[in-house]
Amino acid sequence: MSNNAIARNYAVSRVQSKCTTCSLRELCLPVGLDERETEILGELIDHKFRIRRGEHLLHTGLGFKSLYTVRNGFFKSYVLDSDGCQQVTGFYMTGELLGLDAISSEKHTCDTVALEDSEVCEVPFAKLEEISRDIPLLMHHFHKIMSREIVQDHNIMMLLGSRKAEERLAAFLLNLSERFAKRGYSSTNFILRMTREEIGSYLGLKLETVSRSLSRLQEEGVIAINNKHVRLNDIQRLSRKLYSSSDR
Amino acid sequence: MSNNAIARNYAVSRVQSKCTTCSLRELCLPVGLDERETEILGELIDHKFRIRRGEHLLHTGLGFKSLYTVRNGFFKSYVLDSDGCQQVTGFYMTGELLGLDAISSEKHTCDTVALEDSEVCEVPFAKLEEISRDIPLLMHHFHKIMSREIVQDHNIMMLLGSRKAEERLAAFLLNLSERFAKRGYSSTNFILRMTREEIGSYLGLKLETVSRSLSRLQEEGVIAINNKHVRLNDIQRLSRKLYSSSDR
DNA sequence: CGCTCGGTTGACCCGTTTCAAGTAACGTGG
DNA sequence: CCACGTTACTTGAAACGGGTCAACCGAGCG
């Protein structure tokens, strides 16, 4: 099994590599790879980091070497513009890939901070490109991941550009819901790891507006919200919130 | 020169491939490639399309086969959401790559339409991935292009999320200015290919607000605008517009 | 136990949207 | 080439959504 060209080139170790046993295989980079390919990928992920809540994983301006996959936990990325105004560009959960923005300039363009105690796997980018030459599926999947990021950003642009506060919140909650569901958590009952201010920053709203919109959704009975804990009572009705705006 | 492994594999034709003589080499996909590599890339770009102003190059939902590079002309991409509201997601000019959003789902997620008579080169994506296995520089450059798209989207998100109308316009004009400059056109004197409505859609504003903001910038003497023709009189002052907002 | 930080709610204000009217540019067909 | 209709653009006045400021509450942490 290890007796083939690829295995020789990459000197697959006998110790079980981390990826092969990782429960995230199907969410993360190794999607669709076979055992051997996964093992090769696992070889390259040499470091696993533990990041405590509030600590930074990445800083703007930092030289780019690696991508990071969230092994567990929760992150936010944000950009600080010239006058110190912070804008959250994304929230990242288990299996998602951090640092894609840095490939173009070879410097990170966001700060990334853990919103709860978390672990990440470091993926040295040069090595990733190298082995993806031999594992076309990996290369293709990586392209899909980057493309997905672009699509997601377009969706956010859509929200920011033409949706009212309540619609943005609805979209935000539904997006979280889906992502939790995909990870085997409840799609209707979850904890918001971020503050109202961070939600607002992501959605282009002030924290007071976030608070008010959530309150209104609760009054309407569509959601129940208690501090950080949310329950989606009526996903149907929540979804309908998205379809009711003016043109722009 | 054609007598090597790569050339044999890809049967480089003797006819000069389009990329090698293309003036866009350094803006487009072949950045940094040597003659032979460029020729191989050129081999794969088998079709060149002419798109008339107002015609669509891509439709949402269309199956994904190829990327397209703008050879000359000007495009906009937009998404139509559920209730028919149109949001422009980007403007594309010479040398820029269209269709990256479609890689993830294998369907196009935007409509793309020419804002003036244009030409594009079709880049079959499967072939691009294939040859990028043999041309690591091409693969890497492609990753940079995707990453750049992500960074750009983050910048737009920033604008949409926390900037006032006039600041958005200033950022928009400066961005166009830079891109024109990079293509050898005047950075202070150019034609807006898009309507006020399209600018507004891109920037999350109504066309009237775009018009008013442009008028104000003109009153201040920072720009001169006459219909579609813009002149940036004071880039310094225009840049300073970006640094003066509240937090969010 | 008290302090701090995050969250909620109210009142007021401001910027952008909306609605409307009028003008300028453009493309088409005669 | 001109006349026409259409589309794009500008500008004003009024309405409204979200921002701002401020007070208060509640949870979590040291």
Side-chain angles (χ1 to χ4, degrees), chain B residues 35-76:
Chain B
E35 281 297 310
R36 200 189 58 246
E37 292 167 334
T38 307
E39 207 165 336
I40 293 166
L41 178 61
E43 279 297 302
L44 129 184
I45 296 170
D46 41 359
H47 285 296
K48 219 161 65 179
F49 288 107
R50 179 179 297 276
I51 317 278
R52 294 205 176 284
R53 171 183 171 169
E55 285 179 358
H56 275 75
L57 170 64
L58 299 170
H59 282 280
T60 303
L62 196 72
F64 170 65
K65 286 257 179 55
S66 300
L67 301 171
Y68 297 86
T69 68
V70 182
R71 197 162 151 65
N72 57 61
F74 203 90
F75 290 84
K76 72 164 176 181

Side-chain angles (χ1 to χ4, degrees), chain A residues 111-123:
Chain A
D111 280 48
T112 301
V113 60
L115 297 184
E116 58 179 357
D117 293 354
S118 305
E119 286 181 332
V120 296
C121 299
E122 179 176 359
V123 186

Side-chain angles (χ1 to χ4, degrees), chain A residues 236-247:
Chain A
Q236 291 291 321
R237 207 132 54 94
L238 198 55
S239 309
R240 271 202 300 276
K241 297 269 174 194
L242 310 180
Y243 303 130
S244 52
S245 185
S246 63
D247 277 66

Side-chain angles (χ1 to χ4, degrees), chain A residues 81 86 129 163 206 247, chain B residues 81 143 163 206 247-248:
Chain A
D81 71 0
Q86 174 178 321
E129 284 193 332
R163 294 312 188 171
K206 291 291 175 185
D247 277 66
Chain B
D81 71 0
H143 292 160
R163 294 311 188 173
K206 291 292 176 186
D247 279 65
R248 175 168 295 156

Side-chain angles (χ1 to χ4, degrees), chain A residues 64 85 92 106 116 134 152 168 173 177 194 201 208:
Chain A
F64 171 65
C85 160
Y92 295 86
E106 278 156 25
E116 58 179 357
D134 291 316
Q152 270 171 12
R168 297 187 198 184
L173 292 174
S177 166
M194 66 299 278
S201 170
E208 294 95 327

Side-chain angles (χ1 to χ4, degrees), chain A residues 74-94:
Chain A
F74 203 90
F75 290 84
K76 72 164 175 181
S77 287
Y78 61 93
V79 287
L80 280 177
D81 71 0
S82 23
D83 53 342
C85 160
Q86 174 178 321
Q87 166 112 6
V88 172
T89 54
F91 295 107
Y92 295 86
M93 45 207 262
T94 299

